[in-house]
Amino acid sequence: MLSLSTAITISGHRNHHHHHHHRHPFTHHALTHLPPSPQSKTHKSKTLTLTRTKIKAIDAAQPYDRESKLSSQIPKSITLKIAIIGFGNFGQFLAKTLVRQGHTVLAHSRADYSSRAAALGVAYYSNADDLCEEHPEVILLCTSILSTDKVLKSLPLQRLKRSTLFVDVLSVKEFAKDVFLQILPKDFDILCTHPMFGPESGKNSWKDLTFVYDKVRIGNEESRVARCENFLKCFEREGCLMREMTCAEHDMHAAESQFITHTVGRILEKFGLDSTPINTKGYESLLDLVENTSSDSFELYYGLFMYNKNAMEQLERLDLAFESLKKELFGKLHEALRKQMFGTKEQGLLKLPLNGNGTSLPSESDSSSTN
């Protein structure tokens, strides 16, 4: 926006017509003289005085301009164009933060989430071909474990740039790694990740929540390395605890933590755990566990079991641990009953069982005295 200040003074005569004509903005070579008007021929020479033209430049961007607000979050040089495939609860959960950070987010899903996408500031594409022709830098798979193979094969990979970065957020990592390596051409980059949180546990903040990743296949070019780092910074910027480990290491640890957590939560759900007027803190934790795990689909739980080779071992260990605990309890119970019935050698019999007539059975001493 330009601010223009001018003044034109003609001694002895003011040329109103010419003054009106030149009220438009001047350039740096603005008027040096005025052509004489017909009337000026009858007058003596006129003197023209022009003040210096002052031009002030101000920023035309408005303070509430959406683009300027977004760019203030992170430098424009590290923003990404990210396409989310699978725009269910978890995809929307991630999209909200990615948009807030200033990234351009696209989405595609089997169901129609166009209205929800618009509300989040996400461009929604019902056709995968149209989305891929937008050439996103990152393809972020937020599909279920069971549908990953099918969804990946259905994407028109030929419409993408050959160096596109593919990222997954599945709860099982060796399976995701194998699927990516089998289906994706070798030119595509691969980053396997697992945010160890979801819409419930991360609804208020991602600070101090764990994010696991494995750079399975990243090109050596500086731009591709930088792109991978910029994507990881999406989570680092939110305060996540970044943990780099192999997919195999992740699955081993996840079977001991995530799968067991889901299993215990679902057992308690079937048990019918209810709140009481005298809940302890520990009991409240169990109720929270049931709520967090039951909100996830059984398909997710089945995927944790089916596609993590360590899950069966953990399930068997859990079963053995429960049996061991029952034996320990019943052993203590049996010991207590024996003490009640027979006492100890030092104390003698504390109480004898009743016979059929309702009287105590005679002791050995009573029997010997009658003989």
Side-chain angles (χ1 to χ4, degrees):
M1 182 181 297
L2 298 177
S3 176
L4 179 64
S5 175
T6 63
I8 302 177
T9 305
I10 303 177
S11 60
H13 175 76
R14 183 179 299 274
N15 189 332
H16 296 283
H17 173 77
H18 197 83
H19 176 68
H20 176 75
H21 177 73
H22 286 281
R23 289 176 63 188
H24 300 294
F26 295 107
T27 63
H28 66 281
H29 58 279
L31 294 176
T32 56
H33 67 278
L34 288 174
S37 63
Q39 293 89 339
S40 64
K41 295 180 179 179
T42 60
H43 296 277
K44 295 182 178 180
S45 62
K46 308 298 181 181
T47 302
L48 174 67
T49 302
L50 293 177
T51 62
R52 183 182 298 274
T53 301
K54 297 181 180 179
I55 301 177
K56 299 178 181 179
I58 63 172
D59 188 359
Q62 300 302 310
Y64 298 105
D65 178 72
R66 179 176 180 273
E67 185 176 350
S68 63
K69 286 178 67 179
L70 291 178
S71 62
S72 67
Q73 301 295 322
I74 57 177
K76 193 69 176 176
S77 60
I78 64 174
T79 57
L80 297 168
K81 182 186 285 189
I82 304 172
I84 298 178
I85 307 298
F87 204 59
N89 288 338
F90 199 79
Q92 294 173 29
F93 167 66
L94 294 180
K96 184 178 180 181
T97 296
L98 295 175
V99 170
R100 175 172 55 77
Q101 290 183 357
H103 300 287
T104 299
V105 181
L106 321 175
H108 167 70
S109 198
R110 289 177 299 177
D112 183 9
Y113 289 109
S114 54
S115 59
R116 181 58 182 159
L120 293 173
V122 174
Y124 188 80
Y125 294 82
S126 57
N127 188 295
D129 290 78
D130 294 337
L131 179 139
C132 290
E133 286 179 352
E134 292 295 322
H135 294 162
E137 299 167 87
V138 180
I139 298 288
L140 179 58
L141 256 67
C142 294
T143 58
S144 68
I145 298 173
L146 302 183
S147 63
T148 299
D149 189 328
K150 180 179 178 181
V151 170
L152 195 57
K153 288 180 178 177
S154 69
L155 293 179
L157 302 179
Q158 74 280 2
R159 298 186 183 277
L160 296 169
K161 290 184 177 179
R162 289 192 300 274
S163 64
T164 304
L165 172 63
F166 273 76
V167 184
D168 84 287
V169 290
L170 296 184
S171 301
V172 289
K173 299 268 59 78
E174 284 194 285
F175 168 73
K177 175 183 176 180
D178 291 342
V179 170
F180 275 171
L181 290 175
Q182 290 173 17
I183 297 177
L184 295 177
K186 60 181 178 62
D187 294 318
F188 288 109
D189 287 349
I190 298 173
L191 176 67
C192 287
T193 78
H194 184 199
M196 304 295 293
F197 53 90
E200 281 298 319
S201 55
K203 61 184 176 182
N204 297 320
S205 171
W206 295 1
K207 182 175 174 56
D208 296 331
L209 300 179
T210 303
F211 182 86
V212 179
Y213 64 95
D214 184 6
K215 299 176 183 177
V216 176
R217 187 174 69 197
I218 305 297
N220 295 325
E221 291 90 338
E222 183 179 347
S223 60
R224 295 168 75 167
V225 173
R227 178 180 58 190
C228 178
E229 293 302 323
N230 288 340
F231 180 81
L232 292 174
K233 284 178 183 176
C234 297
F235 298 87
E236 183 180 348
R237 192 175 294 113
E238 298 298 318
C240 290
L241 300 177
M242 309 298 285
R243 297 284 184 264
E244 184 173 8
M245 64 178 64
T246 66
C247 292
E249 288 177 306
H250 167 276
D251 284 2
M252 180 182 67
H253 294 309
E256 295 178 354
S257 58
Q258 188 182 27
F259 177 70
I260 291 299
T261 299
H262 276 259
T263 299
V264 172
R266 289 187 176 275
I267 290 173
L268 295 177
E269 181 189 16
K270 291 184 178 297
F271 180 76
L273 217 59
D274 291 321
S275 182
T276 74
I278 53 171
N279 288 355
T280 63
K281 291 294 184 182
Y283 193 72
E284 290 286 352
S285 297
L286 291 180
L287 291 173
D288 289 340
L289 174 62
V290 172
E291 181 179 359
N292 288 337
T293 54
S294 62
S295 63
D296 292 320
S297 66
F298 188 82
E299 186 181 50
L300 169 62
Y301 177 60
Y302 177 70
L304 294 176
F305 171 74
M306 184 68 180
Y307 295 101
N308 188 337
K309 64 183 181 182
N310 304 284
M312 177 63 79
E313 178 187 352
Q314 296 302 317
L315 195 60
E316 291 175 349
R317 286 183 60 191
L318 182 63
D319 191 38
L320 290 173
F322 187 56
E323 289 298 324
S324 176
L325 185 60
K326 287 197 299 182
K327 288 180 180 179
E328 187 176 353
L329 283 174
F330 293 157
K332 289 289 186 182
L333 177 62
H334 183 66
E335 182 180 346
L337 289 175
R338 284 182 61 83
K339 286 182 178 180
Q340 289 183 13
M341 294 174 61
F342 304 109
T344 62
K345 291 182 179 179
E346 294 79 8
Q347 295 176 346
L349 296 176
L350 299 178
K351 185 177 181 180
L352 294 174
L354 301 178
N355 62 16
N357 296 323
T359 58
S360 298
L361 294 175
S363 63
E364 292 182 1
S365 57
D366 294 336
S367 301
S368 61
S369 63
T370 57
N371 290 337

